[in-house]
Amino acid sequence: MTESRIPTARLGVHGPEVGVQGLGCMGISFGYGPSDAEASRATLEKALELGVTLYDTADAYGAGENERFLAPFFKAHRDEVVVATKFALSIPPDDPDRRIIRNDAPYIREAVEASLRRLDVDVIDLYYMHRRDVNVPVEETVGVMADLVREGKVKHLGLSEVTGDELRSAQGVHPIAAVQSEWSLFSRDIEAGVVPAARELGVALVPYSPLGRGFLTGSFANADQELTADDFRRRQPRFTGDNAAANAALLDPVRTLAEAHGATPGQIALAWVQQRARVHGLPVVPIPGTRKPARVEENTAATRIVLTEDELSLLEPIAEKVAGDRYADMTFTSAGRE
């Protein structure tokens, strides 16, 4: 391993070994305003060069367009990458802005076949249930997913935004490699139930939005005023109005530590997430998103920053002071059901 390449971690007891930091690919072509396809492709290549091997997408990102965009990269590097995608957010043809949560067997089977086609792969390495339909027992959903493993369409199973009890129920049906949920200096609700359950069961945590959707980098302070109209962060309660102003003030200790380490605020925020592995005793593979090669270099460099106990203590109070929920509707998150 060269100095610039990141170390690895295993997802679950029998899951794939991946770089200790993955890449969240949603923003490469969806959700964060206009993107540059050439720069996005260069970002994917740079990430792989630095040891990032877990690439995370979903069928709902751009109604499948994100999967299609990634397909040529996956095909060129199939033996080097771990392809992760998700099902559960059905998009009605007559209302492309709407999402309907579905965990029923017919939908799952339809979704996996569609993702296999768009990704142009024979098997999906890690297949997530994106959100939980509370009207379908989680054991039933995971049972269908387990069938996909037996049929050779999927290698490993993941869940997103599930509670600790839901994870235990799922694990009773089939081994779960990873749980994906929001986890950052701004979002720590999963530490109450999900993280202890994952540690107990040998399941890895894959934190999405470990940079608070960019807010923790200091790159913007108010979504209403600074982001384009098609950027979905303008609908996030934490990043607008009075909440944005209150939360921007919470970044002072992050900036203090960044200066002390000769790092950026984003690197300190990522280093904090990476060190959750040691703090909680389980594999943690965050998936920060970016579409700039230079930002990938910055993000992966954060894996080499070690924060002292005193520095971690300085960051400890931030989460409890955050103004606003992480979504306008929290009912479909694990926190909404704990």
Side-chain angles (χ1 to χ4, degrees):
M1 184 181 72
T2 64
E3 186 179 347
S4 62
R5 285 180 65 84
I6 60 176
T8 62
R10 187 168 298 280
L11 299 182
V13 177
H14 304 293
E17 187 171 347
V18 299
V20 77
Q21 186 180 111
L23 184 67
C25 296
M26 182 183 82
I28 275 180
S29 67
F30 171 74
Y32 288 90
S35 61
D36 182 309
E38 184 176 348
S40 292
R41 285 190 284 269
T43 299
L44 296 169
E45 296 287 350
K46 175 57 71 173
L48 186 59
E49 176 187 325
L50 295 171
V52 174
T53 54
L54 176 63
Y55 293 81
D56 183 271
T57 182
D59 59 2
Y61 300 160
E65 287 304 314
N66 197 255
E67 290 179 323
R68 291 189 185 95
F69 181 86
L70 294 167
F73 171 75
F74 291 154
K75 188 171 185 177
H77 302 286
R78 190 64 189 96
D79 295 336
E80 304 169 81
V81 300
V82 173
V83 177
T85 193
K86 316 178 196 73
F87 73 88
L89 299 180
S90 175
I91 304 173
D94 59 343
D95 191 356
D97 293 328
R98 188 181 175 203
R99 302 291 185 269
I100 300 172
I101 300 176
R102 291 186 60 181
N103 290 174
D104 56 284
Y107 176 73
I108 295 171
R109 290 195 164 278
E110 175 185 326
V112 74
E113 296 295 346
S115 284
L116 285 166
R117 286 194 302 271
R118 287 189 294 260
L119 293 165
D120 194 21
V121 296
D122 295 326
V123 60
I124 294 167
D125 299 314
L126 178 58
Y127 200 41
Y128 286 100
M129 179 186 76
H130 204 161
R131 291 292 185 269
R132 169 88 201 283
D133 179 356
V134 295
N135 298 308
V136 180
V138 69
E139 297 91 341
E140 183 178 317
T141 301
V142 176
V144 179
M145 297 169 71
D147 287 341
L148 301 180
V149 175
R150 286 187 283 270
E151 294 164 13
K153 296 174 181 178
V154 170
K155 289 184 180 180
H156 305 284
L157 302 185
L159 304 171
S160 181
E161 290 288 357
V162 293
T163 67
D165 287 342
E166 290 166 350
L167 174 58
R168 291 186 178 92
S169 296
Q171 183 80 355
V173 177
H174 189 278
I176 303 299
V179 168
Q180 186 174 133
S181 194
E182 189 164 352
W183 200 6
S184 73
L185 283 169
F186 271 19
S187 300
R188 298 182 59 179
D189 51 79
I190 66 169
E191 293 174 21
V194 181
V195 171
R199 181 179 62 242
E200 167 196 327
L201 299 171
V203 177
L205 253 295
V206 177
Y208 70 83
S209 298
L211 291 170
R213 305 188 189 280
F215 198 86
L216 286 163
T217 69
S219 60
F220 72 98
N222 190 302
D224 282 338
Q225 299 171 9
E226 301 175 54
L227 304 180
T228 58
D230 57 348
D231 193 309
F232 87 109
R233 289 173 291 184
R234 289 166 63 95
R235 302 191 298 273
Q236 303 278 296
R238 290 181 173 174
F239 308 138
T240 57
D242 293 340
N243 287 347
N247 293 334
L250 299 178
L251 299 183
D252 286 346
V254 181
R255 292 192 178 94
T256 297
L257 294 185
E259 184 175 352
H261 281 266
T264 65
Q267 286 177 317
I268 297 301
L270 273 177
W272 181 90
V273 177
Q274 300 281 176
Q275 284 185 234
R276 297 303 91 192
R278 176 176 58 80
V279 171
H280 292 279
L282 79 171
V284 176
V285 180
I287 50 170
T290 184
R291 47 200 183 195
K292 297 179 180 179
R295 193 70 73 186
V296 170
E297 293 185 270
E298 177 184 327
N299 290 347
T300 54
T303 64
R304 299 188 288 276
I305 297 174
V306 178
L307 301 174
T308 67
E309 293 302 319
D310 286 344
E311 290 172 332
L312 291 174
S313 296
L314 187 65
L315 300 173
E316 187 66 22
I318 291 176
E320 65 184 22
K321 298 178 181 178
V322 172
D325 285 329
R326 50 193 178 97
Y327 290 102
D329 180 3
M330 289 288 286
T331 60
F332 59 85
T333 69
S334 59
R337 298 192 302 279
E338 286 280 15

